[in-house]
Amino acid sequence: MIIASNFKTNHTRKSTREFITQINNFVKNNSLDVQVRIYPALTALDSFECEKSIKIGAQNFYPTCKGSFTGEIGFEQLEEFGVDSVLIGHSERRHILKENNELLVKKFNFAKEQGVEILYCVGEPKEVREKGIDAVMAYILGQFDGIDLDYKRLVIAYEPVWAIGTGLTASNNDIKEVLKRLKVNIQKPLLYGGSVQVDNVGDILNIKNCDGVLIGTASWEKENFCKIIDTAQKIRRVKL
Ligand code: 13P
């Protein structure tokens, strides 16, 4: 089970360090073994001493080790901090930053060559959801064009665009249906993301085929994220 926090454009270097220290202490002091991922702002990356189950990843990178790509960050800079997990295809990068499929495939292949864990995000916008489940699946499966679904260190995050940062969580039935259909084609851990909260994370993690969550807003406060990790750990114990 993977519990991931996407900081997006939040937290400073100082508050990121405090956050990671507190989460690490919580995991260590309670001997938790649920997998935790934290994706801070790139400026806050550093060499953090963490428990084995915690990885600090990168929200973004350019598919290069180094070079002339003003404003971008390559793997030489990520490796300096031992980054071993990256996000690719987040809806904010697809829709706001206009990353197209061609660039996402390049990023995917580059990260794959580096052998890092890839959290590949997919999800439909509202107008597609309104057309029904078949349209949703066609849209999502299209987002896998050119993506190697056999990559060993691939994790998928299903994040409906209309549920991100809106307070509108997809219904448990909607999540269940999409994950069930994804599982037919993809034998990889499947996470859900989109307005996951402290008080609904338990229900979401109990959905069949749900192997974890990718959280924005509700995870940015240390206490909340600890509560979420704690809930996940309890469910993992029952599921085992
Ligand atoms: P929220 O949890 O704020 O809806 O964000 C979800 C998300 O985009 C995680 O990557």
Side-chain angles (χ1 to χ4, degrees), residues 41-226:
L42 292 172
T43 54
L45 284 176
D46 212 334
S47 301
F48 298 100
E49 295 269 316
C50 286
E51 293 296 285
K52 255 206 195 132
S53 58
I54 303 177
K55 279 188 202 301
I56 310 303
Q59 292 176 28
N60 188 35
F61 63 93
Y62 195 74
T64 186
C65 280
K66 59 180 182 172
S68 299
F69 304 98
T70 301
E72 293 295 322
I73 187 164
F75 262 76
E76 188 178 89
Q77 289 85 44
L78 296 184
E79 276 165 6
E80 189 177 7
F81 303 120
V83 167
D84 185 39
S85 180
V86 294
L87 293 182
I88 298 179
H90 192 280
S91 81
E92 284 148 16
R93 297 215 60 90
R94 289 179 192 264
H95 298 284
I96 303 174
L97 282 305
K98 309 288 178 213
E99 289 193 1
N100 61 19
N101 210 53
E102 192 191 350
L103 176 59
L104 294 177
V105 169
K106 266 192 198 152
K107 290 173 87 167
F108 186 94
N109 288 337
F110 194 83
K112 180 180 135 182
E113 264 171 46
Q114 310 306 308
V116 296
E117 177 182 72
I118 300 174
L119 248 80
Y120 186 73
C121 308
V122 294
E124 81 287 356
K126 191 160 172 272
E127 60 274 18
V128 175
R129 166 55 65 180
E130 283 163 355
K131 290 185 188 147
I133 185 70
D134 290 339
V136 168
M137 292 317 294
Y139 186 92
I140 295 173
L141 293 176
Q143 293 181 315
F144 289 114
D145 275 354
I147 299 297
D148 175 8
L149 294 174
D150 292 325
Y151 178 52
K152 253 204 204 134
R153 302 195 65 201
L154 172 62
V155 176
I156 307 296
Y158 167 55
E159 300 201 297
V161 179
W162 48 272
I164 295 179
T166 57
L168 295 172
T169 319
S171 74
N172 291 352
N173 271 344
D174 288 345
I175 301 173
K176 188 170 149 195
E177 192 58 32
V178 171
L179 297 186
K180 184 177 96 183
R181 292 181 186 224
L182 281 178
K183 210 61 175 193
V184 173
N185 301 291
I186 307 171
Q187 308 310 311
K188 297 291 171 188
L190 301 178
L191 314 187
Y192 168 78
S195 298
V196 174
Q197 314 286 343
V198 173
D199 55 9
N200 67 11
V201 70
D203 288 343
I204 293 171
L205 289 171
N206 270 319
I207 294 172
K208 190 159 182 228
N209 295 316
C210 183
D211 302 303
V213 282
L214 176 57
I215 318 163
T217 320
S219 69
W220 300 334
E221 254 198 59
K222 306 178 215 78
E223 291 71 23
N224 279 350
F225 197 48
C226 285

